[in-house]
Amino acid sequence: MVLDRVAGRAAGGVRGVVPGKVGRLTRRRLPHVETHTETRADGEHARLRVEVAVAWGHRLDVVAGGVQSAVVDTVRRLTGVQVDRVDVSVDDVVVPEQPEERRVS
């Protein structure tokens, strides 16, 4: 669905979100978006659920708030759909790879 792709791209662009990661809990490629839409007299409305992976060292509440803002703004701007709600869940925290220690003998 178009809204899922637009919302997923918006979420993936937020600082701290790790796009393309497969979630530990859901085993889905993140960000993952589920959309529920309905048409009312005043236009189309949507509720979205977004699952993301967040890079280690970023505040989860700040990243989640950024995802909410980015999704609402981008979906409204590109599709004209009014976003009533964005629920964000963090499926994984990505810790950077530590280089292996080399021993000199």
Side-chain angles (χ1 to χ4, degrees):
M1 178 175 221
V2 172
L3 289 181
D4 294 351
R5 286 190 60 111
V6 170
R9 294 285 295 211
V14 172
R15 187 168 192 262
V17 171
V18 180
K21 175 80 173 145
V22 174
R24 288 181 190 216
L25 300 175
T26 62
R27 295 290 181 216
R28 294 190 274 232
R29 183 166 298 284
L30 302 174
H32 176 77
V33 180
E34 295 176 5
T35 306
H36 173 75
T37 60
E38 61 182 45
T39 303
R40 301 181 196 160
D42 61 343
E44 192 169 9
H45 290 253
R47 293 189 318 264
L48 297 97
R49 176 173 163 70
V50 183
E51 297 167 356
V52 296
V54 175
W56 179 261
H58 291 269
R59 283 187 42 183
L60 302 181
D61 61 328
V62 171
V63 174
V67 168
Q68 287 175 322
S69 296
V71 167
V72 169
D73 294 343
T74 304
V75 168
R76 185 181 302 140
R77 182 171 41 85
L78 295 181
T79 69
V81 173
Q82 175 66 38
V83 178
D84 295 332
R85 180 178 179 150
V86 178
D87 293 324
V88 179
S89 62
V90 176
D91 185 81
D92 198 0
V93 175
V94 180
V95 178
E97 295 287 326
Q98 297 294 328
E100 290 185 32
E101 287 187 27
R102 299 182 117 194
R103 288 189 163 178
V104 179
S105 42

